Every structure is written in structure tokens, then in C-alpha cells.
Amino acid sequence: MRGILTAILCTTAVVAAPAAYADPLDHMTDAQKGKRLVQVLRTNGVPVTDTKNTILMAQTMCFSLRQGQPVPSVIADVSSTTGWDNRQAAMFYGAASAGWCPEFVPQ
């Protein structure tokens, strides 16, 4: 659990901070956010093959968070669904939450 939380905090610092100043994600379309999400994931060694599915997964993750599912549980679900390790799933969490549910980006 501690490893997941550390990965989330590190991921969020890498993903969310530059995006907040470069061009606000709230003014981007889902397609633009998806392109950015895939770029960030690939740059950080997370294998992504389908942008549309990645966008859908981000939206589903945010829905689960808004329904009250705890972050570690969401990350575990992402990991089991995709086959990514915890670091990769936490990277996805940080990048996806920055784009689709910024209220869940750790401060």
C-alpha cells in the first residue's frame, strides 16, 4: 500500500504540474487529453496500444472514484485489467486523473 501511494504522489508530480501551467487540460477535448495521456504513459514506459480504450478506461476510473471507490482499489483494478504493474497503474492514475477528474489529483 505504501508503495502504491508513493508511486501516486511521484506520478502526480511528474504528470499534473507541467500540464497545469503549459495548457490547462480543462480546455482540451477528450481526444486531445487522450493523446496527451497516451504520450505521458508511453514516455514513462507504460505500454499503450489503443487510445480510445485508454480514454474509456480513464473515464471509468474517474466514475469509480466519484462513486467512492478508494484510490488503492482503483489502481489495483487498473493493474488487474491491463496487466500493468503497480507503478504503471499508478502512472495511469496520475495522468488520467489530471485530465478527467482533477479533484482526485493528490495535492
Side-chain angles (χ1 to χ4, degrees):
M1 173 101 140
R2 175 174 269 157
I4 291 174
L5 294 176
T6 301
I8 293 168
L9 293 174
C10 292
T11 298
T12 303
V14 169
V15 174
Y21 297 103
D23 51 6
L25 296 175
D26 58 343
H27 297 301
M28 298 174 112
T29 66
D30 277 354
Q32 291 168 323
K33 288 187 246 183
K35 185 176 180 182
R36 160 100 30 106
L37 173 60
V38 168
Q39 178 184 16
V40 167
L41 293 173
R42 287 181 178 157
T43 298
N44 288 283
V46 181
V48 178
T49 56
D50 183 353
T51 301
K52 288 182 182 182
N53 189 49
T54 304
I55 292 170
L56 180 60
M57 195 166 56
Q59 293 168 333
T60 301
M61 179 197 78
C62 289
F63 177 80
S64 296
L65 289 166
R66 289 181 181 122
Q67 295 300 308
Q69 187 173 352
V71 171
S73 175
V74 168
I75 291 173
D77 287 350
V78 168
S79 180
S80 67
T81 300
T82 60
W84 296 336
D85 62 28
N86 283 338
R87 184 199 65 80
Q88 292 169 323
M91 177 64 66
F92 173 82
Y93 166 80
S97 62
W100 282 271
C101 48
E103 68 270 27
F104 292 102
V105 174
Q107 300 299 319

